[in-house]
Amino acid sequence: MKREAAEACCPPPAGKPDLRPIEGAEADEELATLCKAIGHPARVQILRLLVSKEACICGDIVEELPLAQSTVSQHLKVLKEAGLIRGDVDGPRVCYCIEPRTLRRLKALIGGL
Amino acid sequence: MKREAAEACCPPPAGKPDLRPIEGAEADEELATLCKAIGHPARVQILRLLVSKEACICGDIVEELPLAQSTVSQHLKVLKEAGLIRGDVDGPRVCYCIEPRTLRRLKALIGGL
DNA sequence: CGGTGCTATCGTGCTCCAACGATGAAGCGC
DNA sequence: GCGCTTCATCGTTGGAGCACGATAGCACCG
């Protein structure tokens, strides 16, 4: 029942300064995609969970949300497709964690408004 | 055909420091609502238009977007309901402009991630 | 190798969204 | 008052999104 984990995941702080433009048609599309992914309370909650736990938890997310496992899995898929989170397989479980680069990118795009 | 306008609209910079919390269940809901409103390319484009033009334009937005007038009107409604923009009636036309307070609020919420 | 636990995916119903054309309401100019 | 312009709203259609239960795919333990 113990959950140690937090070993093979969430490694790279990745200090790259991001080189893409902050506005323009592509940036508009990108911002819309990211915001659409965040545009659901359950997804915001998941993001907050992954940010707060510095260690990346896995299916414990399901227990935190009042939703069925399949529904949570779908939300995770949406977030992953948007590039906001990452899922590393750790044996039988999957370890999700935020993608700091995308999060920074989002903050930059929002800040550019 | 001239558009002077930019008189009775977009006035208050409103230097109030915003007193609501940056996280919690309510903040989650709020962030989701705001992001959902932004989560469409056309809406991002409208926001950018309103930010760039310091003067708040009106139905010129329709001419900037490759969409029907009714569709643009709906997007404007979504943004207005989210509190991101404001629409002041100026005679026969309507003058839309961003709501700086909400925009700041959004930046704070995103920054809190 | 067979079971068990963890996730992902499938299929389904329902609701909401996005786009359009057509129609209606309000203000201005003549 | 009449017509014109400008927006909003209505009604419709097609396509996503959200939720669930049921099912299938793996990795591990015994």
Side-chain angles (χ1 to χ4, degrees):
Chain A
M1 279 46 177
K2 300 281 186 59
R3 297 290 160 66
E4 302 286 348
E7 299 177 350
C9 184
C10 316
K16 291 187 180 177
D18 213 328
L19 25 68
R20 288 180 297 176
I22 215 78
E23 62 182 41
E26 272 186 48
D28 284 8
E29 199 81 32
E30 191 185 0
L31 178 54
T33 302
L34 288 176
C35 279
K36 192 175 182 181
I38 307 182
H40 193 284
R43 252 118 62 184
V44 173
Q45 213 171 335
I46 291 175
L47 280 182
R48 281 258 163 77
L49 270 176
L50 294 181
V51 169
S52 65
K53 316 257 184 188
E54 80 287 346
C56 42
I57 57 184
C58 75
D60 300 341
I61 303 172
V62 175
E63 301 190 351
E64 294 281 347
L65 302 193
L67 294 173
Q69 177 264 326
S70 56
T71 305
V72 173
S73 192
Q74 268 188 188
H75 285 307
L76 287 169
K77 185 180 179 183
V78 172
L79 289 172
K80 188 162 58 180
E81 284 178 350
L84 281 164
I85 67 175
R86 197 158 31 110
D88 295 325
V89 178
D90 173 30
R93 2 182 187 276
V94 177
C95 175
Y96 284 102
C97 55
I98 45 170
E99 185 78 67
R101 302 200 294 106
T102 309
L103 195 56
R104 277 200 305 271
R105 175 72 178 154
L106 171 65
K107 291 180 183 179
L109 286 170
I110 291 285
L113 287 181
Chain B
M1 279 39 179
K2 300 282 184 60
R3 299 288 161 70
E4 303 285 348
E7 300 175 351
C9 186
C10 317
K16 291 186 181 178
D18 212 327
L19 26 67
R20 289 179 295 177
I22 215 77
E23 62 182 41
E26 272 187 48
D28 284 8
E29 199 81 31
E30 190 185 0
L31 178 54
T33 302
L34 288 176
C35 279
K36 192 175 181 180
I38 307 181
H40 193 284
R43 252 116 64 182
V44 173
Q45 211 170 336
I46 291 175
L47 281 182
R48 281 256 162 77
L49 270 176
L50 294 181
V51 169
S52 66
K53 314 259 184 187
E54 80 286 345
C56 42
I57 58 183
C58 73
D60 300 343
I61 302 172
V62 175
E63 300 191 351
E64 295 280 348
L65 303 193
L67 294 173
Q69 177 263 327
S70 58
T71 306
V72 173
S73 191
Q74 268 188 189
H75 284 307
L76 288 169
K77 186 180 179 182
V78 172
L79 289 172
K80 188 162 58 179
E81 284 178 349
L84 281 164
I85 67 175
R86 195 158 32 108
D88 294 326
V89 177
D90 173 31
R93 3 186 184 275
V94 177
C95 176
Y96 283 103
C97 54
I98 45 170
E99 185 78 66
R101 302 199 295 106
T102 309
L103 195 56
R104 277 200 305 273
R105 175 71 179 155
L106 170 66
K107 291 180 184 180
L109 285 170
I110 291 287
L113 287 180

